[in-house]
Amino acid sequence: MAHPTNMQKSLVIIACLLITFSMGSLHAFSTLIENIEVQISVGRMASSLVYSTAIVNVTIAVFFGHIIYRRLSSLSIIGLIAILPIIGIFIVNTESWIGWIAGYGIFFGLASGLGYGFSLYAVSKITPKEKLGLALGSVTASYAFGALIFSLLYPIFIDQFNFKVGYSIGVILISTLALVALILFLSSKIQLTANSAEKHKIQSSNPGFIRLWFGYYFGVFAGLLAIGHAVPIIKTVGGSATIAITSITLMSFGSGLAGIYSGFLADRFGCKNPLILILITSAFSLAILSIFIDIKLTLFLIILVATLYGAIIAIYPTLVAKLFGLEKSAWAYGRIFTAWGFAGLTAPSIAGFFYDYSDNYSASLLLAAILSTLAAIIIWRLPSKA
């Protein structure tokens, strides 16, 4: 790849920010779940499986992303990202549970994961190492902001029309943004190339790889638990539904801002020390949440935990790139990212199990605090170059 100009780089970065913003809308699912249940006459467990399926497919897309980046052109990949959610509209409009599993969980999930993973890959290819943290942090932050904005837009579209039409309008807007990104990428005239002959000799049994995987799983467990159970956690300490919804908005906003700022910190101080501080702060906050029952304190701390989660997921791609090198980072991060997918499936379920057993969230919050502490210890043991 020839050395691109600053203008060409800017076009690619803007395109990637648009892609992650639009594909982050997948995580505005909580604004759709009740309407899905009414439309297809299912309970909360069945409707939740739609989102769980999406999480699995996001993980699959990131895991196999390095193969797709080698075999398809950048424009083909972005075109696929734009088309898959549109195909999903026709499938979910069959108004069946299987239709939502396939259209939202599989097609939209794969598009979201492909968009997120490709954007990290593309930005890392054109960004100098000294600015990599801020660039990758911004990509991750844009993903979070997409979830925030579409959690506000979907209810407006649904109120103005109806659920079926409102959802379709939202997805058409999402795909339109991806198509704008395609035009920007085309205008940049940058050709991203991956070395197809490259042999990744890092084994998943490598002790450093295993540490990174468990560090990520333990680290994001708390944030995914807090996000997945924010409403009931707040209600158990006396908060109203309105307060809970407002808190979710602030959690998403904080997570997005943290992504940008943590990227700056990673460039300035490296990844290791900021991550340790973030994880210790998260553990301390969770421990307090598990002990004290106070609405104001709970609101502050649960927003803080979600914000710190945004910082963790923003720093980790840069951490992986530093430890494995840019050429192998897409391959390595795809495998380490499975920790996020596993946490997304297990954290809310474990919290639900403890709640059913004890009728409160103290045990699950304490477990999350312990896991955050373990994550900090794991990161502390990483090489100094991190």
Side-chain angles (χ1 to χ4, degrees), residues 152-195:
L152 301 175
L153 288 178
Y154 273 134
I156 295 173
F157 294 152
I158 294 168
D159 288 342
Q160 289 295 316
F161 302 96
N162 57 52
F163 176 55
K164 188 174 181 178
V165 174
Y167 173 71
S168 298
I169 290 173
V171 174
I172 291 169
L173 175 58
I174 288 162
S175 291
T176 300
L177 291 173
L179 289 174
V180 172
L182 188 150
I183 294 170
L184 290 174
F185 214 105
L186 180 63
S187 301
S188 75
K189 299 180 180 179
I190 287 181
Q191 297 292 327
L192 299 177
T193 57
N195 185 1

Side-chain angles (χ1 to χ4, degrees), residues 109-130:
L110 287 173
S112 183
L114 186 57
Y116 174 67
F118 172 75
S119 296
L120 289 174
Y121 165 77
V123 168
S124 68
K125 278 283 188 179
I126 63 168
T127 305
K129 289 184 178 180
E130 62 271 15

Side-chain angles (χ1 to χ4, degrees), residues 24 72 80 96 224 280 284 306 357 371 373 385:
L72 296 180
L80 189 61
S96 65
L224 291 169
I280 291 174
F284 184 69
Y357 182 77
L371 294 182
T373 304
K385 69 176 182 178

